[in-house]
Amino acid sequence: MASPPDDTPAADGGARPAGADLRHDLRTPINQIIGYSEMLEEDAAAAGQAKMSGDLKRIAEAARRMLELIDRIPDRLAAAPPAPALAAAPPPPARTARPAAADVPLPSEDGPGPATLALRAAVSKTRGESGGTLLVVDDNELNRDMLSRRLRSRGYEVVTAEDGQNALDLVKSRRFDLILLDIMMPVLSGLDVLKVIRATYSVAELPIIMATAKDQGTDVVEALRMGANDYVTKPLDFPVVLARAETQLSLKRAMEEIKRLANQLEKRNRFIKHTFGRYLSEEVVDRLLETPEGLQLGGEKREVTILLADLRGFTAMADRYTPEQVVRVLNKYLGTMADLIIGHQGTIDEFIGDAILAIFGAPETRPDDAARACACAVAMQLAMNEVNAFNRREGLPEVQMGIAVNTGQVIVGNIGSESRAKYGVVGTHVNLAGRIEGFTVGEQVLVSASTVAKAGEALELGQRVTFQAKGFKDPIDVYDLVGVGGSWNGRLPPRDDHLEPLSPALTVAVSVLEGKQMSDTTVPGTLLRASTSAATLRVPRPLSAFANLRLRLQGADGAVRPGDLYAKVVSGEPDADGGLLVRFTSADPEVMDALRQALAGSAK
């Protein structure tokens, strides 16, 4: 007679001893005896049934000793061929048929017996809320029943699956927090099910604990390699199963909380970037969000290039228009300029009314900061055509802007208090930029000598002017910026004021604006030539370059007409007729109307 094969296929496709299958078949009903006896023993102990509890413990101990004996059976004995057929033995005495242990039916659907009901009624242990939804997958009905009942007694919601395909269908149809998956199952093994699930759910999203026999070590290694979170060995020690399940569920909940907090942080960061990204460069926002040092108060000394821009005559204009119109003018202007500054990798320190303070070189320093700031200034002046085109379409006043660019050592960082702070810049060179900007006229960019030295040959410069700035001991050299070469290739259009002779000349009352205060002294003056943006002014006293003036037109009788015209002296050197070139910075509408009428009359 041929001997049976020594080996049978293992779950991973390799050979496994035939004796292992026999031991597995013997262990299954014994494990069920242990599980049910432990479950009943817990209920008996909780109900105070000490004698019953002791007997149930003895049953479990006897079953464990039987398992130890089964584990000692050598493979050659467990797989021995059947003995030759003998003569038929006399039939045993008749007895009631009893199904095999693996096929023992569950209690009927009519419910448990009176003793079990009484025992359960005596249990006073409070059941906690559900700790999660678990899926128990095992092809043995008693194993599923025993494990699911014990887990439910610990507050878990438990769903069972009788085979691998049933488990996969359940995973597709509903959400589970953890799966307890038997390795040895027909058709689809536990490893097959694990592979399919891991194609959709990660280890963190759906923990899986494999249940394996003691001699399935290779299967355990393969399961862990394929993405199992943990494993338990049969016979299942329920406290171990419970501890490992709770550990995996705790890890899952922790990962979900981390993910939730990360999502909240990402939403917060997106909001901050959306809000502050309109004012700060991306580097500043990233530093504030990503590094602990980014939010600390304090600063550092470093060299930066400062850009300060301001509208000419905005205050007077604001008094003549409605608040809604003023805000529309500001929003279009500030929005256009902010985009250009950020596009040139500058940081908007703040908006001060109609003024913009930007820095280049903080928080990130680049070798071309000075040249890039100048290129940004040119681009901003060129963009004023777009701003004024919008204003004309909307029936709003046209505006002009002056820009100063200065380079020097400043203190830069988070400035303020713990409750309210900003990333900003302070120092002497910030003040100097403000002084230089005060000397600009509309459509002009003035750059300091320090900026010219840093930017190098990239700059195309016009006239150099030296002036004495308030608060500074030494004279200040500034240059009229014409353009920036290199990759920026930006150039301001030449200023051609087209001054026309006025016939007759217009008489004006001239007052010098000193700082923010108007001088009490008024001198007579004459506008010799003019356009709608500039004029030559003859006065009986010298005026320095960049002096700010208020001009008031006078009638033939010497009376002052309504309205003010503000201008800035471009050059302190008079022309052949003794006139100084001045450019208008702001004018009331009635003054401009009178000037246009005078120009029209002179042209006839």
Side-chain angles (χ1 to χ4, degrees), residues 48-69:
Q49 302 287 336
K51 185 177 184 303
M52 183 180 294
S53 175
D55 290 341
L56 290 168
K57 285 183 178 179
R58 294 184 186 93
I59 293 173
E61 288 299 324
R64 290 191 182 92
R65 286 196 296 273
M66 186 177 295
L67 281 177
E68 293 175 0
L69 294 174

Side-chain angles (χ1 to χ4, degrees), residues 133-144:
T133 303
L134 278 55
L135 175 61
V136 174
V137 186
D138 198 304
D139 61 321
N140 187 283
E141 188 175 10
L142 291 181
N143 285 349
R144 297 195 304 272

Side-chain angles (χ1 to χ4, degrees), residues 9-319:
D12 60 358
R16 59 182 289 111
D21 290 332
L22 177 59
R23 281 193 294 270
H24 177 271
D25 293 340
L26 291 173
R27 287 192 192 108
T28 298
I30 297 174
N31 287 337
Q32 293 163 355
I33 293 171
I34 294 173
Y36 279 109
S37 62
E38 287 179 344
M39 183 169 58
L40 292 173
E41 188 273 327
E42 290 175 0
D43 287 347
Q49 302 287 336
K51 185 177 184 303
M52 183 180 294
S53 175
D55 290 341
L56 290 168
K57 285 183 178 179
R58 294 184 186 93
I59 293 173
E61 288 299 324
R64 290 191 182 92
R65 286 196 296 273
M66 186 177 295
L67 281 177
E68 293 175 0
L69 294 174
I70 291 173
D71 289 338
R72 296 176 187 173
I73 299 175
D75 289 342
R76 60 184 179 81
L77 295 180
L86 301 176
R95 62 176 62 186
T96 304
R98 184 171 183 174
D103 298 319
V104 174
L106 294 174
S108 69
E109 295 184 359
D110 295 336
T116 304
L117 288 174
L119 189 61
R120 290 180 181 175
V123 176
S124 59
K125 182 170 60 175
T126 302
R127 307 300 188 190
E129 296 182 358
S130 174
T133 303
L134 278 55
L135 175 61
V136 174
V137 186
D138 198 304
D139 61 321
N140 187 283
E141 188 175 10
L142 291 181
N143 285 349
R144 297 195 304 272
D145 176 69
M146 179 266 298
L147 188 55
S148 62
R149 286 169 63 183
R150 299 194 74 177
L151 289 169
R152 288 190 186 104
S153 71
R154 293 300 190 273
Y156 293 104
E157 179 184 352
V158 182
V159 178
T160 61
E162 61 188 11
D163 56 43
Q165 187 57 54
N166 184 213
L168 293 176
D169 293 340
L170 286 170
V171 170
K172 288 181 181 179
S173 63
R174 61 177 299 177
R175 176 184 176 276
F176 293 99
D177 296 301
L178 182 140
I179 298 177
L180 284 162
L181 178 60
D182 188 24
I183 286 184
M184 290 191 65
M185 293 187 296
V187 187
L188 282 179
S189 71
L191 296 179
D192 296 329
V193 175
L194 174 64
K195 182 177 181 181
V196 174
I197 293 176
R198 280 292 171 256
T200 304
Y201 296 96
S202 69
V203 172
E205 292 172 327
L206 182 54
I208 299 177
I209 299 176
M210 308 300 292
T212 177
K214 285 185 176 179
D215 49 11
Q216 289 179 296
T218 56
D219 291 341
V220 170
V221 173
E222 180 67 11
L224 293 174
R225 188 187 66 80
M226 293 172 61
N229 296 70
D230 204 345
Y231 71 95
V232 290
T233 57
K234 295 181 179 180
L236 297 180
D237 187 338
F238 185 70
V240 173
V241 174
L242 188 63
R244 295 195 174 187
E246 289 176 346
T247 297
Q248 293 300 325
L249 289 170
S250 296
L251 290 173
K252 181 177 185 292
R253 285 190 289 268
M255 291 300 296
E256 289 174 346
E257 179 65 10
I258 291 172
K259 186 176 181 180
R260 185 186 68 82
L261 293 174
N263 288 337
Q264 286 186 347
L265 182 61
E266 179 61 25
K267 290 180 181 178
R268 168 184 171 272
N269 289 354
R270 283 200 303 268
F271 171 78
I272 291 175
K273 284 191 174 185
H274 175 73
T275 302
F276 294 100
R278 292 176 290 178
Y279 315 110
L280 303 178
S281 67
E282 187 174 344
E283 292 90 346
V284 174
V285 178
D286 288 341
R287 174 173 290 191
L288 293 176
L289 293 176
E290 295 175 5
T291 63
E293 297 81 7
L295 294 174
Q296 293 178 358
L297 294 176
E300 59 177 326
K301 194 169 186 178
R302 67 162 66 185
E303 184 178 83
V304 301
T305 297
I306 302 154
L307 183 152
L308 184 61
D310 191 19
L311 290 181
R312 292 290 161 263
F314 178 77
T315 302
M317 182 210 76
D319 292 337

